[in-house]
Amino acid sequence: VRSAVRHGTGGSAPRTCVAGRRFWRHPAEWPELVALGDGTLLAQWVEKSDESSEVEFILVSSSRDGIHWTPPAIAHKDRSPQQHGLASMIESAPHEASILWLQALKGEDGPVSLMRTIVGADGQEIKEEQLDADVCSCCPHSTVKTTKGFPLAYPGHPSNELRPPRVPAFE
């Protein structure tokens, strides 16, 4: 995972945030970088346990200067060999960010939960919570910061298999 910072019409040279990991290379699994208000950078990405399985873990690392990064930490409490993926990240308060992700503890055939992990500027977990107990297992989600909170759009998973978007908000 590499990063660069834009300055006016130019930018910094690309720098490596983390390397030598088992990155999950999939069109829906993008690494992300968020700059907190205090200048701290947080990076999140998804790793596979091995190439032959569907097991995924979300990792996070932080940096104060964009050069030196903390050792990667798993960004969720569950460590079972299941799917934890389709992550996105947004600054959610001073000195912290929210990582939103899907957890499939019984595989894609079981219920898939929309989860939120709050991480501090040091990259360590502060809190984890379930936002929805049954969502679409293959679709990404999206959020944006507004003056009223963080509306989150994602496909639900009703029993008739229609997947209309739901728009809850979290603070």
Side-chain angles (χ1 to χ4, degrees):
V1 175
R2 301 192 78 191
S3 69
V5 178
R6 185 174 177 96
H7 301 287
T9 59
S12 69
R15 293 186 173 139
T16 299
C17 304
V18 64
R21 309 288 300 187
R22 291 179 186 224
F23 299 108
W24 174 220
R25 296 176 193 341
H26 186 276
E29 301 283 7
W30 285 89
E32 282 185 291
L33 187 71
V34 168
L36 301 181
D38 66 0
T40 300
L41 299 173
L42 288 171
Q44 71 82 9
W45 65 94
V46 175
E47 292 185 9
K48 298 228 0 150
S49 64
D50 63 61
E51 292 304 315
S52 65
S53 88
E54 294 296 315
V55 176
E56 306 167 332
F57 296 101
I58 301 159
L59 284 94
V60 64
S61 182
S62 70
S63 175
R64 301 293 271 152
D65 60 9
I67 299 169
H68 304 94
W69 291 82
T70 60
I74 295 177
H76 43 82
K77 291 179 182 172
D78 182 72
R79 303 295 200 262
S80 67
Q82 299 299 331
Q83 294 176 335
H84 310 84
L86 286 176
S88 66
M89 184 169 52
I90 188 168
E91 180 182 26
S92 51
H95 312 292
E96 67 183 40
S98 289
I99 300 174
L100 305 154
W101 51 281
L102 300 184
Q103 176 173 267
L105 296 181
K106 296 181 180 177
E108 289 186 23
D109 294 334
V112 175
S113 300
L114 177 62
M115 305 293 291
R116 174 185 179 208
T117 300
I118 301 171
V119 294
D122 60 359
Q124 297 300 307
E125 179 186 326
I126 296 172
K127 176 183 174 184
E128 181 177 295
E129 63 185 336
Q130 182 181 73
L131 300 177
D132 194 323
D134 192 11
V135 300
C136 177
S137 64
C138 63
C139 297
H141 47 271
S142 179
T143 189
V144 64
K145 188 175 183 177
T146 71
T147 58
K148 296 184 179 186
F150 301 88
L152 174 61
Y154 62 96
H157 187 253
S159 59
N160 62 3
E161 292 298 315
L162 294 176
R163 300 177 192 268
R166 295 189 233 178
V167 185
F170 63 89
E171 294 183 25

